[in-house]
Structures are given as C-alpha cells and as structure tokens.
Amino acid sequence: MDATQYKDYVLIVLFMKVITDKYYKKSDSLIEVPDDANFNTMISLKGKKNIGEEFNTILSKIAKKNDLQNIIDVVDFNDENKLGRGKDMIDALTGIVEVFQDPELDFSNNRADDDDVLGDAYEYFMKQFATEAGKSKGQFYTPSEVSRVISKLLRINETKKKIIYVYDMTCGSGSLLLKAGAEAKEGVKVQLYGQEKDSNTVGLCVMNMFLHGNATATIREGNTLTNPKFLENGKIRTFDYCVANPPFSIKRWTTDLEKQYDRFTEYGMPPDSCADYAFLLHMLKSMDPDTGKGAIILPHGVLFRGGQEEEIRKKLLKSGVIEGIIGLPSNLFYGTGIPACIIILDKKDAKDRKDIFMMDASKYFVKDGNKNKLREEDIKKITDTYLNRIEEDKYSKIVSMKQIKKEDYNLNIPRYIDSSEKEKVQNIRGHLLGGIPEEDIESLDIYWNVAPTLKNKLFNRNEKKGYLNLAIDKENIYDEISNSPEFIKYSNELKKNIKRWEEKSKKDLQLVNSKTRVKGLIEKLSDNLLEIFVNDKLINKYDAYEFLMDYYNNTLKDDLHLIIENGWIPKLTYAQDKNGKIKRNEFESDLLPKSIVINKFFKDYANKLEKLNNELNNLISEIGLEIEENTGDELIFSDEDKISEKSIKEKIREETGKNIIILESILENLEKQKNLKRDIKTIQKQLNNLLIEKYKSFDEKTSKELIINEKWFFALENKFEDIYKNIIYTFSNEIITEVENYEESLSELINETSNLESLVIKDLERMGYND
C-alpha cells in the first residue's frame, strides 16, 4: 500500500489508542470515548472474521459522539482492495492493533504536556509518511524545524492580549498551525483556525489537534482561494496571526473563482499561471487590519518575477506591509526541492516602514537522508538575528526602501547580500620561486588571535619579502600547536567556562520534578550557554548551542521526561526469556546506565573483567589462526569440521607425530577458554548482585549527583574536549596544506625532472638505444 494510504490506517489506530488511554472513563475529558467503541474494543476483535466491518462501526460511533463525522470515519477498514480478502485482512488489522497494544505504549499517565509527547509521536508518523510519499504527495506536512522558525518570527510570545486567533489557510496536517499556537505565553488563550483542500488531510489535521490538546480548533475543508470558509458578514474574517506553507506556483488557480472577496483590489490580480501572490494576498486580507502579523513560505520567484507579479510586489513594498524576507536552504520541503523564502508581513508599523530586514540562511543546514534539514543552531541563529535585527556580513542586512527602489523593487536576495565564499587564490610567485605567502598564513587570524607568538615558532622569514619558510619538521606541526602555552591556556579557559555553565545549570536541574516545564528549562540552559560562549575566540556560540541541543534531543530530553514521570531514583529493567521469565543477569537502567555505576563504585570489577575478556579474546584469536593454518587437503582439519573439546580428543586418538602436538596445544587453549569463561561468569554474577543492591540503596540526593554530574555533565565535557581536539587538528591541517602547496618551487621541479631525464637517457644508452 502507498504511504499516503497506509498512513490513514496507522494514524487512526494510534488516535484510538491515545484517546482510550487518556480519556476513557475520565470526567471532563476532551473527547467522549464510548464503552463499546474504543481501542479495547478493537483488541477484542483481533482474529475475528468481521474485524474490518466492526472497526468501521467503532469509528462511526466515536465520530457521532464527538461531531467528527467525515473526519475519522472516512477511511474504510473493510476495503478488500487495500487490505486484502479474508485472512489477509484479518491478519493486517490484527497486526496493527498488536503493534499499539505493546505495554510500553501506555499514554494514560503522561503528564509531560508542555513538550507534548503524544503530539510529537503523531508528528513523527506524519513526517515518516511524508518522506515515503515523495515529492508529489508529501505536501501535507511542513517540517517541524521550519514551523518552529516561522512561529518564533511572529513574536506571538510578546502579545498582551488575553485571547489570540491564529489562522493557517493551507493547514495540511496542522504542524505549522500548532507550532504557532504553542508560542503563546502561559495564560494566553489560543484559538486555532485552519482550512485544507484535501479531505483526508483534514482528518489528519483534526486528529492532530485533538492529540495536541486543541480540541476547540476549527478546521474546515475547501479550496481557500476559490471557496474561503472563514467569513464574517460576507467578507474575509481577520485574525491576529496568520501562517502558511501553501503549495508552490499552482497553475489555473482562478478556475471556479466566482468571488474575489476584495482580496486583489488594492494590489492587483495575480496571474492565472501562478497562485503564489494569490495566497499572499489572501493572507494579507486575513490579517487584523491594525495589528495583524503573518508569515508565509513561497518560492524565490515571487521576489523577482516580472509582469503582473512585479506590479503587485511594487505596491506591497510601497505600502510597507513587508517587514522581512528570509532565504531558506533548498530541498527542505517534501512537496518540492526548490529553495524557498519566508516573507513576514506586518500591518501595525506598515505606514512608517522605511526598510526591510533581509537574511540569506540558504547555506545553513545539514543533510538528512535525501532532504536538507535545519539544525538547532540554524533555527536559533535565524530567530535571534531576525528578532534583534542583527546585521552580519554575508548573512543579514537592513535594506532601505531607497535601495530597493534603486533596484526597481527587485527583492532577489543576492542583490543585497553577497553570501558567496572568497575563492582561494594561488600565489604564482610562490609556486615559481618557492616560499609560503605570508598573506595566506595571516588569513588564519582566528587562530593567531589565540596564540599570537606561535606563528614565530612555526615559521621564519624567507629571503623574498612577503614569504615564509616552515621552521620545524612538517610532522611536528600538530604537537607544536597542541603543546603551545597559549593553546593550553585556551583549553583551560574553555574547561572553566564549561564548569561555570554547569554550576549555573545544576541548581535548575536539581529542581526538576513532576511540575517542571521541559521547554522552559532547556531554553534557560541553552541561553546560559550562549551567554558563556558569546566572546569565545574559536567556538561559535551557535555551535556550542548545537552541541547542547543535540545532546538534549538524543538523551537529556528523554531523561527529563523519565524524571517528571517517575522521579529521580533510577529503575532497573530486566530482560526476559521466551517464556517471560526474568533474567536476573540481564538488566539496564535508562536513567542511570549501569556503566556509570560500575565506573563510579566497582572499577576493580570492571578492570578484572576487562583483563579476563582480553585474555579470552587473545586465546580465541590464537586458536583461530592455528586451526586456519592446519585446515585443507592432507592437513588436520577440513572446512566442515566443528571444533570442540570432544572433536579434538577424537582427532588426537587418530593422528600421529607432530599433529598430536598441534592438537594438544589447541586442546589446552580450549581448556583455558573454558576456565576463563567460568571466571568471567562468576565475577559478572558477583558484580550484577552488587549492582542491584547499589541501585536499591540510591536515595534522591545520590541519584541527582550521579545523573547530573556523571551522566549529563560528563558527556558534555567529553563533547567539548573533542571539539577542542578537532580545532587543533583543523588548524594543523590548514598549515600543512599551505606548506605542501608551496613545498617545491617550479625551478626545483625542473631540476628534478632534468636529473631523472638524464638517468633515463644513460640507462637507454647502456641498453643500446643511442637515438
């Protein structure tokens, strides 16, 4: 089944599982879950002949109870063309129920509402389906990273209103709309409104709203351009904030356009061949006439295309409603690979606007499979730079309306921001006559700012002015840099800065409890880190931010949720055999891995086990080589032989001479292996018993110290240590590259070639070739 089809089945079953866990038999719940129509009812139908038909009945009952007709009941669970006939359908539907029946997927006690684990799970599924669906069918999902950027750019968290209205005219599965609503401060009531053309995607969006705790959101089906659903007194309804990621450059969009709703009167009619400005003008009309703000994602063509679009663009610029433009990397979206931009619209200050803030963030991303993705540092840099209007060479600029007018209202970003990299120029004189150009070495000023005296230790003057020679052996460059007092001083300062951040953060981390807001906590921790690295000479503050956020997303976030749910004292999870019996020797703790506890309290045992395992591995290698050397025709072993103590003893009785010596050596090796394995098992069992008792002894204070210091801080300290080593490695490689570029001058190469040529001629003459 195509991803765009099976997503509907998977997401509806997930929806049923979540609402059953969260709301079944609960008072004041967001959704009414009937006794005979919930996920437990689905479980009871596993393996039944009429499972598909009954699933449809369950969804119909849920839909009627909660006014969700044509939302969650549009997918046919009894469709033989998609799910197969008879046993095939029974197995398919039984299987998907069993996936979500896993005991670990229990959403009933989830309290981490601030970070919304359930909604994130739903978003995760939609991202996977969008990825699989490909370019033509993945438009229902806006990448979470882009949604977060847009949401922050609108300054929703600064509103002074008690209730705000947020609208997305092409809401898809609702990701962008939800992210925008989530930006509001605590205590501000948020009402979400969305319209979506595709009926199946409307269902996805409504379910997404429920799972994110936005049951009051209003989502309607229809073509926004030809049939807008949000009207007041026959006119386009307005909202406080508008967001959108419409499909790019739709052709023939005016088909069925019966009424314009005064959207195109002031700025002009967009061309029928491209709907981009039609969406932008609809958004503008949907913004509150006095204070409305909006952000829309559109292809770069809207910034410079001519014709009718050029006239619209001129009028928009003259009216002052365009506040900013941000160029994004290409290949971010699932519906298209072309680069896009975010256009921020603002009515409040339009009359007084004398400039536009422009950014070129197109080079800031990371590869993620066959797509590009904004990193945490990219998101943070975009939002910080835009919200604070920070001008940065090759990245951002405040562009005056006078300058824009001079460019004939063309908004193509490269006209205003030159983000091209400076090309490395080869020094011809250096290649001809030798010597390293001093200007090339000076260009490494980021490193010389840290170690100004190091340059004189690495280089001395060439007889030609403006050129240098390497003063030490090339092989010693790395050691000279890493051992220089100035870099050692920088390393120590780096460690002190990390310790400063740890001391500042520890107080907040120790206070984590069931009421902690994870989102607010990580924002505080990351802001503290940015502050510490603001003046660092070698590590960009946003790189430092990325290291923390990467650890947060991979480890810290899960740990914080575990603590919020279960408290600080770590729990052990035991493995089970196929009969469900607990294996006492196989256990782990997600919150506090046993490797940390072993390293802290049982280092002697770890050393013993390491030593014994090394001995065992050496014996295994030795026996492997000995058997390999004696395997083949007319040798002791054949390829089919199975090596064991019993088989070796049998061969000893059959063989004679030196072969017996070899076999006895192998037998002795096997005996040593057996003894080592016994010793390892005994020590491991002792260690496991000690570990279990140690975990039982942990109180909250001890647990906090171990988790914060030995897990979280230790991991981050190691990360920054690796970063420092990489700086030294990169610096030394830069110098080695410069040295090797000019290592041999042209005259030296000519002399070497001449010498080699004369040797070849002499050899040819000796061989009788005189011509």
Side-chain angles (χ1 to χ4, degrees):
M1 196 183 293
D2 185 89
T4 55
Q5 295 175 329
Y6 74 71
K7 79 176 188 302
D8 299 329
Y9 294 94
V10 173
L11 292 172
I12 285 175
V13 177
L14 170 65
F15 178 75
M16 290 299 298
K17 166 66 174 169
V18 173
I19 64 171
T20 302
D21 284 356
K22 291 282 285 182
Y23 307 124
Y24 182 47
K25 291 188 175 179
K26 301 275 178 72
S27 59
D28 302 321
S29 63
L30 292 170
I31 188 167
E32 185 177 345
V33 185
D35 289 334
D36 59 346
N38 53 59
F39 185 73
N40 298 327
T41 319
M42 287 181 155
I43 293 172
S44 70
L45 292 167
K46 289 192 309 179
K48 300 287 179 66
K49 289 183 179 179
N50 62 339
I51 185 171
E53 186 180 344
E54 288 296 322
F55 275 19
N56 285 343
T57 302
I58 289 169
L59 294 171
S60 179
K61 287 181 180 179
I62 289 278
K64 287 177 183 176
K65 286 281 186 183
N66 298 279
D67 195 23
L68 292 173
Q69 289 97 333
N70 298 318
I71 299 294
I72 66 168
D73 54 356
V74 292
V75 178
D76 185 3
F77 277 82
N78 201 37
D79 188 336
E80 293 180 343
N81 293 323
K82 292 179 180 176
L83 296 165
R85 297 173 180 271
K87 188 175 183 300
D88 288 341
M89 180 185 289
I90 294 168
D91 289 347
L93 295 179
T94 297
I96 195 171
V97 169
E98 286 178 344
V99 167
F100 290 105
Q101 201 181 346
D102 189 318
E104 292 187 16
L105 290 176
D106 180 6
F107 302 118
S108 59
N109 295 318
N110 176 260
R111 297 195 303 276
D113 297 323
D114 177 59
D115 208 65
D116 194 20
V117 175
L118 307 183
D120 285 351
Y122 194 85
E123 290 286 306
Y124 167 81
F125 274 115
M126 284 193 284
K127 178 181 177 181
Q128 301 311 309
F129 294 131
T131 302
E132 291 182 43
K135 285 187 177 181
S136 61
K137 298 176 182 176
Q139 292 186 12
F140 61 84
Y141 179 72
T142 299
S144 174
E145 300 80 28
V146 181
S147 297
R148 286 166 57 198
V149 168
I150 287 181
S151 303
K152 290 180 181 298
L153 295 178
L154 292 178
R155 304 177 189 269
I156 296 175
N157 63 325
E158 296 178 11
T159 184
K160 291 181 171 60
K161 295 183 178 181
K162 292 183 178 179
I163 179 169
I164 60 170
Y165 301 92
V166 185
Y167 168 60
D168 186 342
M169 60 185 165
T170 55
C171 61
S173 59
S175 168
L176 180 50
L177 186 57
L178 285 163
K179 290 290 189 299
E183 280 300 308
K185 288 187 296 186
E186 196 172 355
V188 176
K189 186 178 179 182
V190 180
Q191 281 294 130
L192 302 180
Y193 298 83
Q195 183 166 342
E196 170 56 39
K197 184 178 179 181
D198 183 81
S199 59
N200 281 348
T201 307
V202 170
L204 291 178
C205 188
V206 171
M207 288 191 288
N208 203 4
M209 295 296 145
F210 268 94
L211 293 180
H212 279 86
N214 283 280
T216 59
T218 305
I219 309 300
R220 292 178 180 162
E221 181 186 341
N223 185 327
T224 296
L225 296 180
T226 59
N227 186 20
K229 294 292 186 178
F230 294 99
L231 303 171
E232 280 184 343
N233 301 320
K235 297 181 179 180
I236 298 292
R237 178 179 172 174
T238 60
F239 303 86
D240 298 301
Y241 300 97
C242 296
V243 293
N245 177 21
F248 292 170
S249 307
I250 294 176
K251 300 181 186 302
R252 296 181 295 279
W253 65 273
T254 57
T255 304
D256 300 324
L257 181 68
E258 296 177 2
K259 192 173 180 181
Q260 296 186 17
Y261 295 98
D262 200 31
R263 291 172 290 183
F264 315 123
T265 306
E266 186 177 352
Y267 298 100
M269 187 72 180
D272 179 63
S273 59
C274 183
D276 293 336
Y277 270 107
F279 282 116
L280 187 148
L281 294 176
H282 177 88
M283 173 177 281
L284 201 58
K285 199 68 180 176
S286 302
M287 290 162 51
D288 182 280
D290 299 315
T291 61
K293 290 183 74 72
I296 185 170
I297 300 169
L298 290 172
H300 274 271
V302 299
L303 303 177
F304 52 79
R305 287 193 294 246
Q308 292 164 264
E309 292 186 317
E310 182 179 3
E311 293 304 312
I312 294 170
R313 187 169 60 248
K314 283 182 180 180
K315 290 177 182 177
L316 286 168
L317 287 165
K318 289 177 180 179
S319 72
V321 293
I322 298 178
E323 177 188 282
I325 298 168
I326 299 169
L328 296 173
S330 61
N331 204 26
L332 283 182
F333 302 98
Y334 295 97
T336 177
I338 66 173
C341 62
I342 301 171
I343 299 178
I344 295 93
L345 305 171
D346 172 55
K347 287 186 175 179
K348 183 182 176 182
D349 300 315
K351 292 178 181 178
D352 301 320
R353 185 159 286 114
K354 293 180 174 58
D355 55 54
I356 288 178
F357 192 75
M358 281 193 181
M359 291 174 59
D360 184 356
S362 60
K363 293 180 172 60
Y364 296 82
F365 62 90
V366 66
K367 291 294 291 181
D368 184 23
N370 62 352
K371 305 297 293 180
N372 293 332
K373 177 182 176 181
L374 295 177
R375 298 164 295 183
E376 292 291 342
E377 64 175 297
D378 303 325
I379 296 169
K380 185 68 173 172
K381 183 170 184 178
I382 289 170
T383 54
D384 280 358
T385 303
Y386 186 85
L387 295 176
N388 296 296
R389 288 171 65 88
I390 299 168
E391 291 190 281
E392 181 180 321
D393 187 39
K394 297 184 178 295
Y395 186 71
S396 58
K397 186 177 181 180
I398 297 171
V399 182
S400 69
M401 287 299 180
K402 286 183 180 179
Q403 190 175 353
I404 291 170
K405 184 179 179 180
K406 190 178 178 182
E407 294 288 344
D408 293 326
Y409 298 97
N410 187 313
L411 294 176
N412 196 17
I413 296 173
R415 289 194 175 214
Y416 306 96
I417 301 172
D418 179 11
S419 62
S420 60
E421 296 296 325
K422 187 178 178 181
E423 191 176 345
K424 185 77 174 177
V425 179
Q426 294 295 317
N427 188 292
I428 302 301
R429 191 163 179 247
H431 284 299
L432 290 173
L433 303 175
I436 304 164
E438 189 171 8
E439 63 179 355
D440 286 9
I441 301 304
E442 290 291 342
S443 69
L444 302 173
D445 56 340
I446 185 174
Y447 302 106
W448 306 132
N449 289 339
V450 172
T453 66
L454 181 60
K455 185 164 48 178
N456 294 329
K457 292 181 181 178
L458 295 174
F459 300 98
N460 51 39
R461 291 281 168 191
N462 186 282
E463 60 272 13
K464 298 188 300 298
K465 187 179 179 181
Y467 293 85
L468 302 172
N469 295 323
L470 186 65
I472 61 172
D473 290 337
K474 187 168 64 176
E475 292 74 18
N476 296 332
I477 290 174
Y478 180 89
D479 290 338
E480 189 69 40
I481 294 171
S482 58
N483 293 326
S484 71
E486 291 158 319
F487 267 99
I488 290 172
K489 182 183 177 183
Y490 171 80
S491 174
N492 292 332
E493 287 174 353
L494 176 61
K495 290 173 184 175
K496 285 179 185 177
N497 284 337
I498 299 301
K499 286 294 181 185
R500 274 175 53 216
W501 175 81
E502 288 176 355
E503 288 169 11
K504 203 171 184 179
S505 303
K506 191 171 184 177
K507 296 173 184 177
D508 294 312
L509 290 169
Q510 286 178 327
L511 294 174
V512 172
N513 56 40
S514 60
K515 296 179 181 178
T516 296
R517 294 189 63 197
V518 175
K519 183 179 175 183
L521 175 61
I522 190 59
E523 284 179 356
K524 186 175 182 181
L525 298 181
S526 58
D527 285 344
N528 289 342
L529 192 69
L530 282 167
E531 188 180 320
I532 280 174
F533 277 91
V534 70
N535 293 317
D536 194 278
K537 292 178 180 178
L538 293 178
I539 300 177
N540 182 281
K541 65 177 182 177
Y542 290 110
D543 289 336
Y545 175 87
E546 176 69 17
F547 305 141
L548 174 60
M549 294 306 294
D550 185 57
Y551 184 73
Y552 167 72
N553 286 319
N554 290 324
T555 302
L556 183 57
K557 185 177 182 180
D558 289 339
D559 287 350
L560 291 171
H561 283 304
L562 280 173
I563 294 165
I564 289 167
E565 292 292 327
N566 305 315
W568 278 93
I569 299 175
K571 292 177 172 57
L572 292 179
T573 304
Y574 290 87
Q576 297 180 357
D577 61 22
K578 60 183 179 181
N579 298 317
K581 188 177 180 181
I582 287 176
K583 295 182 178 180
R584 187 174 171 81
N585 281 331
E586 292 183 30
F587 59 87
E588 193 50 88
S589 169
D590 289 335
L591 187 56
L592 183 60
K594 60 185 181 184
S595 59
I596 293 175
V597 180
I598 291 169
N599 192 54
K600 185 73 175 176
F601 299 101
F602 305 110
K603 192 72 174 177
D604 289 346
Y605 279 87
N607 291 337
K608 285 179 189 176
L609 286 170
E610 184 181 12
K611 182 181 177 183
L612 292 174
N613 278 307
N614 286 339
E615 290 178 21
L616 179 60
N617 290 331
N618 289 335
L619 288 172
I620 292 170
S621 297
E622 288 171 10
I623 200 173
L625 288 171
E626 200 155 14
I627 290 167
E628 186 180 349
E629 289 172 0
N630 291 281
T631 298
D633 294 339
E634 300 182 4
L635 295 175
I636 302 174
F637 303 105
S638 68
D639 291 331
E640 290 77 27
D641 281 339
K642 293 183 179 179
I643 307 301
S644 66
E645 190 176 332
K646 181 181 177 182
S647 67
I648 298 298
K649 286 180 178 178
E650 288 175 357
K651 283 191 178 291
I652 287 174
R653 289 195 290 270
E654 297 168 2
E655 293 288 346
T656 58
K658 67 175 184 179
N659 286 352
I660 292 178
I661 297 171
I662 295 169
L663 288 165
E664 285 177 343
S665 172
I666 291 172
L667 189 64
E668 183 182 357
N669 184 302
L670 288 172
E671 183 66 25
K672 288 180 180 178
Q673 284 190 44
K674 185 167 69 174
N675 292 334
L676 279 171
K677 287 175 182 176
R678 184 191 61 229
D679 293 343
I680 289 169
K681 187 176 180 181
T682 300
I683 294 173
Q684 187 66 62
K685 187 176 180 181
Q686 292 172 357
L687 177 57
N688 285 343
N689 290 333
L690 290 168
L691 280 169
I692 291 168
E693 292 305 312
K694 180 57 74 173
Y695 273 99
K696 287 179 182 178
S697 74
F698 290 149
D699 56 18
E700 188 170 297
K701 183 181 177 182
T702 306
S703 298
K704 284 181 179 181
E705 287 296 315
L706 288 170
I707 294 164
I708 294 173
N709 293 327
E710 305 300 327
K711 185 181 184 182
W712 298 340
F713 288 171
F714 181 76
L716 287 166
E717 286 168 10
N718 282 343
K719 180 65 180 174
F720 279 99
E721 179 65 26
D722 290 341
I723 292 162
Y724 172 72
K725 289 177 181 176
N726 190 55
I727 288 170
I728 302 297
Y729 178 78
T730 302
F731 183 28
S732 62
N733 273 359
E734 293 259 19
I735 292 174
I736 289 168
T737 299
E738 288 296 335
V739 170
E740 290 179 346
N741 273 346
Y742 300 96
E743 207 160 20
E744 291 182 300
S745 66
L746 181 61
S747 58
E748 289 172 332
L749 290 172
I750 291 171
N751 289 336
E752 185 178 349
T753 304
S754 298
N755 291 334
L756 291 172
E757 184 181 9
S758 64
L759 290 173
V760 171
I761 291 171
K762 287 179 182 178
D763 285 339
L764 289 173
E765 287 174 349
R766 281 200 303 270
M767 296 166 66
Y769 296 98
N770 297 319
D771 294 334

